[in-house]
Amino acid sequence: MVAELKELRALTGDDNGAQRVAFTKTWLAARAWLRKKLEALPAEIHTDAAGNTWTTLRGASERALLIGGHIDSVPNGGWLDGCLNVLAGVEILRRINGQYAGQPPVTVRLVDWADEEGARFGKSLFGSSACSGNLNVDEARGLKDKDGIRLPDALKEIGVDLERAKECGKELKHAGAYLELHIEQGPVLLDLDLPLGAVLGTFGVERHAVTFRGQAAHSGSTPMNRRKDALLAAAKMSLEIYPIAARHGGVCTIGSCTTKPGIVTSVVEECRITLDQRHLDARALARMLAEARAAADRFAGEGKVSVSWERLWQIEPVLFNPDLIGFCDDAIGETCGKSHRLPSGPLHDAAEVARAGVPTVMMFVQSLHGISHNKIEDTREEHLELCVTAFDKLAEKTMRWMEK
Ligand SMILES: [Zn+2]
């Protein structure tokens, strides 16, 4: 697997990193390369209505163990994000095929999801959300890339009809479980000095714009006690999100702040900030939001300004299957001694599959520097070897579980 990852890097990367952006020539070259590897197996290969590629090793039972990943990358991306999952899956198909002489107890399927990253059209999880049924086709129809090319036209180029993309949902018909390996993309396992972790689920997200409105006034003639300073309330908010996050164990970010009139000689009349809050527990996320609203009201009152909220985006937390999380812990324990359970901050295709009702779990492998979506993204080679070994054990345990 490590050798194949390097082969893929040489084929589809350059000095700036991986260039396998979905629906581009390099992405198609990566997929053709992958297909050659898969054709060596006695497996059926097809691409579904949304452009996801499925490789199926028929088993004694129709019930299917799904292993997923995405070979697409962001522009100037890392060498492991997404393709590690796919190539680990290829390795596991080979092992299962060899061990069971081409007929495993359950059907085993590898899926390469189309456009996980959403790098070109700004909307991630295209293939997996089409499959789960959560894709908003009306919204997708209007998406354009930076050259003005529409998503439906880019899809047509690769033989996908957006209007029919959701028909790929039938691929999940016999799904008994879904497994996905991924680099952590953060520093948690690195800081704990652990190679692998079992993922509990993906964070729910509440994303809002919060606008404080006061009054513009001359910066020279207005005494400090007579000001209605919108920025002052927003600044207090930026401090307050730290205790709110600390109380509940989630994360909160104020990622942008714009002021009007935004000139050096005026008190700020209007200040708009964005607040992104994430938690694995829906009730805790709701409490973080409620506390942020209460704090905003308090600071607005103290500063004699008004405040209004606008929801920008929201998604509920997705919890993975407890039995599979247990197997993932066991597989990690057997491979390298100590496991750790952690939530995923980023969204993944696995979240869509779980939302479709398929028992799901992910395994994370440590990321050096805690960094991803960057050419410096890396993982120690011995950790890559550990992760494919542990992931293979997880696949075997899951097959046993599905047989029952
Ligand atoms: Zn990824």
Side-chain angles (χ1 to χ4, degrees):
M1 181 196 75
V2 175
E4 285 180 334
L5 282 166
K6 290 177 179 171
E7 207 181 308
L8 182 66
R9 175 169 63 180
L11 185 75
T12 59
D14 60 24
D15 289 348
N16 297 315
Q19 306 298 345
R20 297 181 302 274
V21 177
F23 316 129
T24 63
K25 273 198 185 115
T26 310
W27 178 68
L28 292 171
R31 282 194 141 190
W33 172 88
L34 174 66
R35 196 174 179 115
K36 280 230 171 66
K37 303 273 173 197
L38 291 164
E39 278 168 356
L41 287 162
E44 182 270 332
I45 307 174
H46 72 269
T47 299
D48 70 20
N52 306 306
T53 299
W54 297 83
T55 303
T56 304
L57 200 60
R58 292 245 169 269
S61 146
E62 239 182 353
R63 269 170 70 73
L65 167 64
L66 310 183
I67 299 171
H70 60 94
I71 212 153
D72 73 298
S73 74
V74 295
N76 305 328
W79 72 298
L80 298 170
D81 184 357
C83 58
L84 167 68
N85 342 356
V86 177
L87 292 174
V90 175
E91 198 66 17
I92 287 162
L93 283 184
R94 287 180 186 134
R95 191 274 299 168
I96 289 173
N97 181 54
Q99 182 171 338
Y100 295 100
Q103 231 222 15
V106 301
T107 295
V108 186
R109 309 184 71 197
L110 175 66
V111 53
D112 171 25
W113 298 110
D115 198 11
E116 190 272 348
E117 298 287 3
R120 186 167 156 199
F121 292 95
K123 186 87 194 155
S124 48
L125 310 180
F126 172 77
S128 54
S129 67
C131 199
S132 69
N134 292 316
L135 175 73
N136 182 336
V137 176
D138 290 334
E139 184 192 43
R141 210 180 280 126
L143 295 175
K144 283 182 190 154
D145 71 5
K146 65 178 182 343
D147 300 319
I149 296 169
R150 296 166 58 246
L151 175 64
D153 296 331
L155 289 173
K156 211 176 284 167
E157 292 274 309
I158 60 153
V160 170
D161 176 359
L162 174 64
E163 303 305 318
R164 294 183 43 215
K166 283 170 118 171
E167 289 176 16
C168 73
K170 67 180 183 209
E171 300 286 345
L172 296 181
K173 194 167 164 209
H174 300 293
Y178 175 85
L179 308 176
E180 189 173 324
L181 174 69
H182 208 284
I183 52 167
E184 186 203 324
Q185 304 177 285
V188 174
L189 293 172
L190 181 71
D191 288 350
L192 292 168
D193 200 20
L194 292 175
L196 304 173
V199 185
L200 294 162
T202 56
F203 277 163
V205 183
E206 284 284 358
R207 202 172 283 169
H208 290 84
V210 187
T211 305
F212 294 94
R213 285 191 184 82
Q215 192 172 48
H218 194 287
S219 63
S221 61
T222 319
M224 300 309 280
N225 66 345
R226 294 291 302 275
R227 297 179 179 214
K228 294 176 180 171
D229 185 342
L231 178 60
L232 181 62
K236 288 179 178 174
M237 274 302 287
S238 79
L239 296 176
E240 191 64 18
I241 63 166
Y242 284 81
I244 290 175
R247 271 197 293 280
H248 301 287
V251 290
C252 302
T253 306
I254 292 178
S256 91
C257 173
T258 48
T259 60
K260 283 180 191 165
I263 55 172
V264 72
T265 53
S266 174
V267 173
V268 171
E269 177 167 28
E270 187 183 301
C271 182
R272 181 186 190 266
I273 55 175
T274 57
L275 175 63
D276 176 292
Q277 298 182 293
R278 303 184 188 219
H279 206 292
L280 189 62
D281 181 84
R283 275 174 312 182
L285 181 60
R287 277 198 296 272
M288 290 203 312
L289 176 59
E291 287 183 16
R293 282 183 184 275
D297 285 344
R298 194 167 75 242
F299 301 138
E302 284 170 13
K304 300 185 183 63
V305 300
S306 67
V307 62
S308 62
W309 287 66
E310 178 199 349
R311 178 177 266 159
L312 301 175
W313 190 66
Q314 180 252 2
I315 189 167
E316 73 272 24
V318 177
L319 299 177
F320 292 155
N321 181 277
D323 288 350
L324 295 182
I325 294 170
F327 298 149
C328 189
D329 258 344
D330 294 346
I332 293 170
E334 289 163 24
T335 308
C336 52
K338 194 161 183 251
S339 182
H340 177 71
R341 294 183 172 199
L342 72 168
S344 172
L347 278 170
H348 290 286
D349 293 309
E352 285 298 333
V353 183
R355 288 172 88 194
V358 180
T360 292
V361 76
M362 293 183 76
M363 182 184 287
F364 275 171
V365 58
Q366 187 193 102
S367 290
L368 284 174
H369 327 295
I371 285 271
S372 173
H373 286 193
N374 185 311
K375 69 171 177 179
I376 69 161
E377 168 199 292
D378 205 2
T379 292
R380 284 196 192 93
E381 206 158 304
E382 62 263 34
H383 289 176
L384 292 176
E385 286 167 16
L386 287 175
C387 81
V388 70
T389 304
F391 195 59
D392 187 45
K393 288 184 198 293
L394 170 60
E396 191 62 27
K397 288 175 196 295
T398 307
M399 282 205 293
R400 299 280 156 239
W401 177 73
M402 287 169 58
E403 271 185 296
K404 281 180 198 148

